[in-house]
Amino acid sequence: MDDIEGSESISDRVADELQRRILNGAIPVGSWLRHNSIAEEFGVSRTPVREALRVLHARGIVTIVKNRGARVNGHSGRDVRELGQVRAAIEGLAAELAVERINDAQVAQMQRALDDFAEAIDRYTGSPELSESDEANERWSRTNSDFHSAIVTGSGNRQLMLSLEDIGRRLPLNSSYPAYAGNTRLLKQNLREHQRIAEAILAQDAEAARQAMVDHIKSASESLARFVEEHERRA
């Protein structure tokens, strides 16, 4: 069982990394993903690579062609916006519910994530090389995930969490990062949006919390959609 779970974890990581590269244009739409080359790059066997490509196929990111590999479809700007609309509605409800249900540990996690995000902006902005590095990507992704998971868990609604997991399989939470990297204005805007959500939750204003979250998710989705469309025009 441990080996199977390990394989699934590896395949998920490979799938997420490949999707990140597809969204930021590093892997162009229309290109082919070959099992052998991916396995060699990631230092894994072909089994998790096959599973990763199946994951991407299920997300609509690639089309698997027998004996050839997988051809990159990519998400269009429209796909990103539509998925963002659904996520905004669900996470907006999560923020509304969290006003009454979030506990002290979850509040502490939310506030800690805000502080870490602000520190990351101070650390990496002003230096394009640093802000676009894997280190910056990992830190922002971690703090962003911590912030949103505190609120989603704080909603106390298991069905809501499952619905977000389903959306996340098609468009992972941190997919918007490539659109923010190297853009201090967007990063600071993202931080302000997080702060407005947290302030509304702590003030126990359910309607304001819901609206702040909806606005935040739509803003992030729009930034990513425009980023994707710009790369499509350059291709």
Side-chain angles (χ1 to χ4, degrees), residues 42-95:
F42 286 89
V44 299
S45 69
R46 288 168 56 93
T47 298
V49 172
R50 282 196 297 270
E51 290 302 318
L53 294 179
R54 290 192 187 109
V55 168
L56 294 178
H57 176 71
R59 293 176 183 174
I61 299 294
V62 305
T63 298
I64 296 175
V65 180
K66 188 176 181 179
N67 299 324
R68 294 198 65 184
R71 190 173 186 274
V72 177
N73 304 322
H75 275 322
S76 67
R78 177 177 177 176
D79 293 331
V80 172
R81 289 186 179 94
E82 289 180 348
L83 286 165
Q85 287 175 339
V86 178
R87 172 173 272 152
I90 299 173
E91 286 211 50
L93 175 59

Side-chain angles (χ1 to χ4, degrees), residues 87-107 109-110 146-165 197 201 206 209-210 213:
R87 172 173 272 152
I90 299 173
E91 286 211 50
L93 175 59
E96 181 180 349
L97 294 174
V99 165
E100 296 296 333
R101 301 179 180 181
I102 196 167
N103 63 32
D104 290 348
Q106 292 153 354
V107 167
Q109 178 180 326
M110 180 178 70
D146 287 347
F147 179 81
H148 284 270
S149 67
I151 295 168
V152 171
T153 305
S155 75
N157 187 309
R158 189 171 62 88
Q159 298 305 320
L160 182 153
M161 297 178 209
L162 292 172
S163 295
L164 279 175
E165 286 178 9
I197 295 165
I201 290 174
R210 184 194 67 80
M213 181 64 84

